[in-house]
Amino acid sequence: MAVAFRTGLFNIGAESQLLVGAVAAGAVGARFGFLPGPILFPIVLVAGIGAGAAWAAIAGYLKAARGVNEVITTIMQNYIVVFVIHWLLQNGPMTAPNALGTPASAPIGDGAVLPIIIPNELVPLTRLHAGIFLAILAVVVFWFVLWRTPLGYELRAVGLGARAAAQAGIDPRVHTVIAMAIAGGFAGLAGMIQVTGVFHRVFDGFSAGYGFDAIAVALLGKNSPIGVVLAALLFGAFARGGSIMQANAGVSAQLVSVIEAIVLFVIAAELIVRILARRRGPKPLEAIA
Amino acid sequence: MIHQHFMLVPPLSVAENVVLGDERGGPALDRRRIEDRVRELEKRFGIEVDPSARIEDIPLGLQQRVEILKVLYRGSELLIFDEPTAVLTPLEVDELFEIVRTLRDEGKTLILITHKLREVMAVTDRITVLRGGQNAGELVTRNTNPGEIARAMVGRDLKELKARATPPRTEVVLAVRGLEARSDRGSPALRGVDFEVRAGEILGVAGVGGNGQSELAQCILGLRRPSAGAIRIGDVDISKDDPKRTRARGVAYVPEDRHLEGLVLAFTVADDFILGKQDHAPFARHGVLDPVTILRNGGRLAAEYDVRPPNPRAIVANLSGGNQQKVVLGRELSERPKLIVVSQPTRGLDIAATEYVHERLLEQRGQGAAILLVSSELDEIRALSDRIAVLFEGRIVATLDAASATEERLGLLMAGHSEAA
């Protein structure tokens, strides 16, 4: 998400990229469930990331080649994915009998399941699993790619000054596709972690809007790796804390959504003020020059 | 206030624009009455524009007169002109100054904001020099000379540009043949352009903005695909290359708009110095950037090109225009380019920064670079160029030796008068 923002793209499709990654991970994990963990897990990992990346790259390509606004395409992609998954699980190729009561796929192979690192018996009400290591690794990779590789430099240059980048030989179109693919890859990874760490299968409507939370997290974290981690922890605490507050203190869990919304409003307001200030600020000086 | 960028409504008529915001006299607009009023004004101040013409159909010089009429219509006694000649041809400038003198004689007070010494000398009575937001001197035009004004503007004596000591070499670096290209709007912008630039030569391209200059620079760089013709560097046709490949052949580019095209403003000085060089040694090895080398390179170039402050970690957006241009020059000139395409290199710069840019370009010329200098500043073109090509409506209408290119000749050619007469 933040990767795409850095390139000046507005990727609203993290939800669908996450779902595609989850479905790919779930399908591969179930189909090749007989393989041992050390072989199965990397395959599932690549499937999740690859599917998210490829799905997002479509929007990137449309933007680069045809000038289609990525906000529109990624939103539309969200709907496509939600309904395709619906079909896949309801009466499509991935339907499997289960005890959940909702349409779901067959469970993934044990080899692909992320181990729980703090068992429920020790600390109740958690589901902390090894996915946290993958998430930390993803943040490190995000930071490294963006700030320590020529590719990251090019992505930032395109995001901050597309025309300057273009005249310097950095093709904004190519980098639009790459940025979307990377963003989709991260979202796909998130979906893959949900499947392998939490649910061990795909079921209908399983992503509680994580992809949309990601937009908020990227905004709050101002697209910097550390900021994104802190923002994600905040939103995670909101989500968990909300249900616990409801159970223990009788505070409505909806209040969390209200607080989240207020946070976002404040951020958005700050952005608007800054854009207005920039418009008014240096322009008159330029006119004199 | 007569703005540098006109504040007119293009589809409306001259008269309608003049009364805009002041359409007194009932709900219905009495076209005849306002046109008569505008005509009356025109007669009084000796300004000629057809009141019923549409703004979008008349040239910039006339549009400016509408701006002046607008101010007069409101009965203003004080008129402020902000860089009024930036978009005018030399002929239009003379006509503007006629109007300015008439207004003065009619008893109006006029303030002319400009950085062109010639204009100051030509029409003003008194001069106030501003430097760094402070009053740096008050002069009476009759008793001063351009040298004294320039001294007050810069705070020191100006260096004379070194005479072009060495003649250009014979080796042709850039050869353009039958080049045609379309503008963004799809209309023909270049209609068969031929020229060549030799090593150690500066070819000036003069012309009023919008006659194909931008498209010419973009075609050479590979930012715009020509619809016909060839662009050769040495023996290689680069007309189909992208900017990356073009630059790999030793082409450097100082773009016209340094904010949008020249620099990534939000980058640090060090980062902007490596724009376009980020993917190879010494700045990147095995696909990983080397921050130490990038920073050291930034510090070295900032010092070498006199960027102030010489801090490679400074954000480029916070530098002054002159220092931003130095960052562009440092990046583009530091690797001994064979061909340098320079577009409006001193637009909006103060005298000291302008002088610096000119010195650096002449230095490159001395080192054997071929330079294509696109500029709408005739003084700049005449001071730097060995030969001057005049671009008018997408064609080169004449190529003159610098020695024979008087301002009058260039001015007439730029306005579309052919040489034959």
Side-chain angles (χ1 to χ4, degrees), chain A residues 7-33:
Chain A
T7 324
L9 294 168
F10 215 73
N11 176 13
I12 306 292
E15 179 78 1
S16 78
Q17 292 141 20
L18 184 149
L19 288 172
V20 167
V23 167
V28 172
R31 175 71 183 78
F32 300 103

Side-chain angles (χ1 to χ4, degrees), chain A residues 105-203:
Chain A
S105 70
I108 56 171
D110 288 341
V113 171
L114 285 167
I116 300 282
I117 50 175
I118 303 179
N120 251 340
E121 301 82 63
L122 224 69
V123 184
L125 286 170
T126 72
R127 43 182 182 182
L128 188 66
H129 50 78
I132 182 92
F133 297 122
L134 280 178
I136 292 171
L137 190 67
V139 170
V140 174
V141 168
F142 167 51
W143 173 84
F144 186 84
V145 168
L146 208 49
W147 297 98
R148 284 288 180 268
T149 67
L151 177 65
Y153 177 96
E154 289 161 10
L155 292 173
R156 284 185 292 131
V158 169
L160 297 168
R163 284 187 58 197
Q167 65 85 12
I170 301 167
D171 191 335
R173 287 167 302 179
V174 172
H175 286 80
T176 297
V177 180
I178 295 175
M180 283 300 274
I182 294 177
F186 278 114
L189 172 69
M192 174 264 172
I193 291 174
Q194 281 296 311
V195 167
T196 54
V198 183
F199 304 114
H200 306 159
R201 65 175 79 222
V202 185
F203 63 86

Side-chain angles (χ1 to χ4, degrees), chain A residues 73-97:
Chain A
T73 46
T74 51
I75 287 178
M76 292 199 296
Q77 281 188 318
N78 287 342
Y79 288 105
I80 296 173
V81 170
V82 166
F83 289 110
V84 166
I85 291 181
H86 199 62
W87 165 74
L88 279 175
L89 298 177
Q90 197 103 53
N91 44 20
M94 280 178 75
T95 312

